Amino acid sequence: MLAEAIKTYQTRVNGILNQHLTQLDDAAPDLKAAMLHGALLGGKRIRPFLVYSVGEMLGVNINALDKAAAAIECIHAYSLIHDDLPAMDNDALRRGQPTVHIAFNEATAILAGDALQTLAFEIMTAPCTDLHPKQQLAMVRALAKASGYQGMCGGQAIDLSATDNSIELTRLTELHNKKTGALISCAVELALIAADIPDEHYQLMMKYAQTLGLAFQVQDDILDITTSTEELGKPQGSDQQSNKSTFPKLLGLEGAKDCAEQLIQDALSALTKLPYNSQLIADFAHYIVERRL
């Protein structure tokens, strides 16, 4: 059931992204091609999956979730394009394919990331009969906060400053709660805004989202040292080579695995307190720490 749902939502959001990108005019063909390359190169679409699965679990019409799913993936794609740049992580491979600055050039990659970021908010603010304007505004605010200084960009800045330096576990946790966890939490939050659920349920779902987001990053750190370049689709051991602080580096490999498992148990515990059929997103939590790429 989980694999089928992942594929279904992946196909749906890919179609929406492709529609938005291909309908752009051809005034800047290289930029358009770079945006397509960065956004449609592949990927698990974890953030759109959470938007769709949580939203449908809460009874939201799937049409009301399309904009949020596409917008958050635009933000994610932009972040990866910029992460891969020489000034950041300097990666030449992403999902087994040349990164955008390798396939095109640095300037085009920067612009492609910029344009995908703004496209996200263009998509999110387009008229939608399935959502109240107040809900759309709340979604825009949530996505902007998760993407910027208080979220992903702030986490990236901490990550850059921590490279070649030793940091404590609390600082590493803060780093990844922002850099990776903020967008994953936001994906759930966007669905919650569309559903307009009671505050108590909202807080429990955000607990699920936050622990899931951190578990995702812990597992990513583990995979960086246990999985091959071919499986990962990017250079194996790149975190070690860049001398980045990671959970295995601070906790040891087995300690990192225990940490990821405990985070998932915390996420599942939050779900047990909710009156919804949460089996799909519970299965997804298990998938996060069992995945191999």
Side-chain angles (χ1 to χ4, degrees):
M1 181 178 175
L2 176 63
E4 182 181 343
I6 290 174
K7 183 64 177 177
T8 297
Y9 293 144
Q10 184 183 60
T11 300
R12 186 177 182 97
V13 77
N14 282 346
I16 296 166
L17 288 169
N18 185 67
Q19 180 183 3
H20 281 287
L21 289 165
T22 55
Q23 72 183 12
L24 296 172
D25 65 40
D26 294 318
D30 285 350
L31 175 58
K32 181 178 178 178
M35 292 168 70
L36 283 160
H37 184 85
L40 296 173
L41 192 61
K44 298 174 285 293
R45 307 307 193 205
I46 280 173
R47 293 148 197 83
F49 172 88
L50 286 168
V51 172
Y52 284 129
S53 59
V54 172
E56 290 208 293
M57 178 187 78
L58 299 174
V60 180
N61 186 314
I62 195 168
N63 294 323
L65 302 168
D66 284 334
K67 292 182 185 303
I72 201 166
E73 193 59 30
C74 282
I75 294 290
H76 180 53
Y78 124 68
S79 75
L80 297 182
I81 292 170
H82 282 192
D83 271 359
D84 291 335
L85 288 166
M88 302 283 269
D89 290 345
N90 195 24
D91 282 327
L93 278 180
R94 171 72 63 180
R95 297 164 180 161
Q97 299 295 323
T99 49
V100 176
H101 71 277
I102 296 295
F104 297 86
N105 56 61
E106 277 189 58
T108 301
I110 292 169
L111 289 174
D114 292 345
L116 283 167
Q117 181 189 41
T118 54
L119 179 61
F121 295 102
E122 183 180 340
I123 292 170
M124 189 77 89
T125 54
C128 179
T129 57
D130 296 294
L131 292 169
H132 190 281
K134 287 185 178 179
Q135 289 174 300
Q136 285 184 271
L137 180 60
M139 287 177 166
V140 167
R141 181 176 175 80
L143 185 57
K145 183 177 179 180
S147 305
Y149 183 89
Q150 298 179 75
M152 184 182 69
C153 287
Q156 181 68 55
I158 298 171
D159 190 24
L160 289 172
S161 67
T163 301
D164 294 324
N165 294 305
S166 296
I167 61 173
E168 295 182 352
L169 183 60
T170 52
R171 184 64 164 166
L172 182 66
T173 300
E174 179 190 13
L175 187 171
H176 288 303
N177 277 335
K178 291 183 174 183
K179 182 183 175 185
T180 302
L183 271 192
I184 289 176
S185 294
C186 183
V188 172
E189 186 173 13
L190 294 177
L192 300 181
I193 293 169
D196 193 23
I197 64 173
D199 184 64
E200 180 184 355
H201 297 173
Y202 191 103
Q203 296 305 321
L204 286 167
M205 281 302 307
M206 290 306 295
K207 173 67 173 177
Y208 164 84
Q210 288 155 6
T211 50
L212 184 77
L214 188 56
F216 179 87
Q217 182 60 53
V218 176
Q219 182 66 8
D220 253 16
D221 285 356
I222 292 167
L223 293 175
D224 185 70
I225 58 176
T226 62
T227 308
S228 68
T229 296
E230 290 72 27
E231 290 175 295
L232 283 174
K234 59 182 180 180
Q236 187 267 348
S238 60
D239 289 341
Q240 289 178 305
Q241 292 167 17
S242 300
N243 200 23
K244 286 183 175 290
S245 293
T246 66
F247 286 95
K249 186 175 180 179
L250 291 186
L251 302 175
L253 183 57
E254 291 306 313
K257 290 179 179 179
D258 290 343
C259 176
E261 185 57 43
Q262 183 57 56
L263 286 165
I264 291 306
Q265 292 307 314
D266 291 345
L268 295 173
S269 177
L271 294 184
T272 63
K273 300 178 177 70
L274 290 162
Y276 311 113
N277 180 4
S278 59
Q279 188 60 54
L280 182 61
I281 61 172
D283 290 344
F284 187 71
H286 286 294
Y287 161 78
I288 287 298
V289 294
E290 294 167 359
R291 65 195 166 91
R292 296 295 301 158
L293 49 84

